[in-house]
Amino acid sequence: MKVVLFCGGQGLRIRDYSESIPKPMIPLGPRPILWHLMKYYAHFGYKDFILCLGWKGHVIREYFLNHNKGLDERFRPACRRRGRGALAP
């Protein structure tokens, strides 16, 4: 089974933390929030991830390609932006 994680928002409401990095990459301890979320799913046997990337998606891609965490990541462009909290195909 695949896990789809949407990582495309700009993080406007948490701009103090996400001005230079995408919000899924905000550190929580030594690792980004996204890593913790993926590790949680992996604990229950889910290891096939599709990351829908948007704003500064290259930062997320580079992190997971450079730091092999033993998880199977796939990267996809995020859907068109339609406003805060809305997705479009």
Side-chain angles (χ1 to χ4, degrees):
M1 185 171 302
K2 297 178 194 275
V3 177
V4 178
L5 298 171
F6 294 96
C7 307
Q10 291 184 4
L12 298 176
R13 291 173 280 203
I14 54 172
R15 180 59 75 192
D16 293 343
Y17 301 104
S18 67
E19 192 164 350
S20 61
I21 58 173
K23 63 184 174 185
M25 297 303 291
I26 293 173
L28 182 62
R31 304 202 192 276
I33 292 171
L34 182 58
W35 184 88
H36 291 284
L37 184 61
M38 293 171 73
K39 197 67 167 172
Y40 179 77
Y41 278 107
H43 174 75
F44 292 102
Y46 299 100
K47 296 190 183 205
D48 193 6
F49 295 91
I50 297 174
L51 303 179
C52 296
L53 305 178
W55 185 75
K56 294 196 177 189
H58 66 281
V59 174
I60 297 171
R61 179 189 296 264
E62 289 172 13
Y63 178 84
F64 285 101
L65 291 178
N66 292 333
H67 299 89
N68 185 0
K69 304 294 183 200
L71 301 171
D72 179 21
E73 298 89 20
R74 295 182 186 177
F75 305 97
R76 301 278 189 265
C79 302
R80 278 184 289 133
R81 185 179 171 154
R82 292 181 63 193
R84 193 172 295 154
L87 293 174

